[in-house]
Amino acid sequence: MTTARQPPFPCDPLLRLRLAPHGGLPRAIDGAWWPRSYDLLAELPHLLAGVPRAWGHITSVTVSGAAWSALPGRIVVVNQVVRLRTSLTASAPHAIVLIAPGLGRWDLLVVPPDTTAEAAEPLMASGAGGHG
């Protein structure tokens, strides 16, 4: 029996994340993320491993409460505690907010997991500021 080794998260080709180009002006959306399920506990470690190191250690994540399965108040990701919050804000039903104290806040458009590839592509591109 052969066991396939998983690549480390930062080079995980299955992470569907596009970030807007870094610039001097603040942006409403910093990128787009297309998770594979609504199970945030399974999806979040991959996302956090794939964000730029310059973003620092993400200690807080806020998601739309209506979209995700029930969440605990916090989880441990790569030996670090990440606080999870839910929001019922109608203005951002498909968004996730990542916060690294002292470094910044990043808002990502969340493309629903059950979106087809054809429908997801323009959403991912728009979330990345038109950059693919």
Side-chain angles (χ1 to χ4, degrees):
M1 179 167 133
T2 336
T3 305
R5 290 177 24 136
Q6 295 289 334
F9 287 139
C11 51
D12 187 345
L14 301 179
L15 178 63
R16 300 184 293 192
L17 174 68
R18 287 198 199 153
L19 300 176
H22 179 68
L25 298 175
R27 305 179 52 83
I29 296 291
D30 299 294
W33 175 47
W34 184 18
R36 296 185 183 282
S37 74
Y38 284 108
D39 182 355
L40 191 63
L41 300 181
E43 299 290 340
L44 191 58
H46 293 283
L47 173 62
L48 296 183
V51 299
R53 289 183 186 222
W55 289 14
H57 170 62
I58 304 298
T59 61
S60 179
V61 173
T62 302
V63 295
S64 170
W68 300 95
S69 55
L71 301 174
R74 65 188 134 215
I75 64 170
V76 176
V77 178
V78 192
N79 297 322
Q80 306 250 345
V81 174
V82 177
R83 178 175 218 147
L84 300 176
R85 295 185 172 105
T86 56
S87 170
L88 298 177
T89 306
S91 64
H94 298 289
I96 185 167
V97 178
L98 309 175
I99 297 176
L103 291 175
R105 167 188 168 143
W106 296 273
D107 293 50
L108 301 176
L109 169 72
V110 176
V111 176
D114 52 356
T115 304
T116 65
E118 295 78 23
E121 180 56 35
L123 294 171
M124 294 292 286
S126 71
H131 297 85

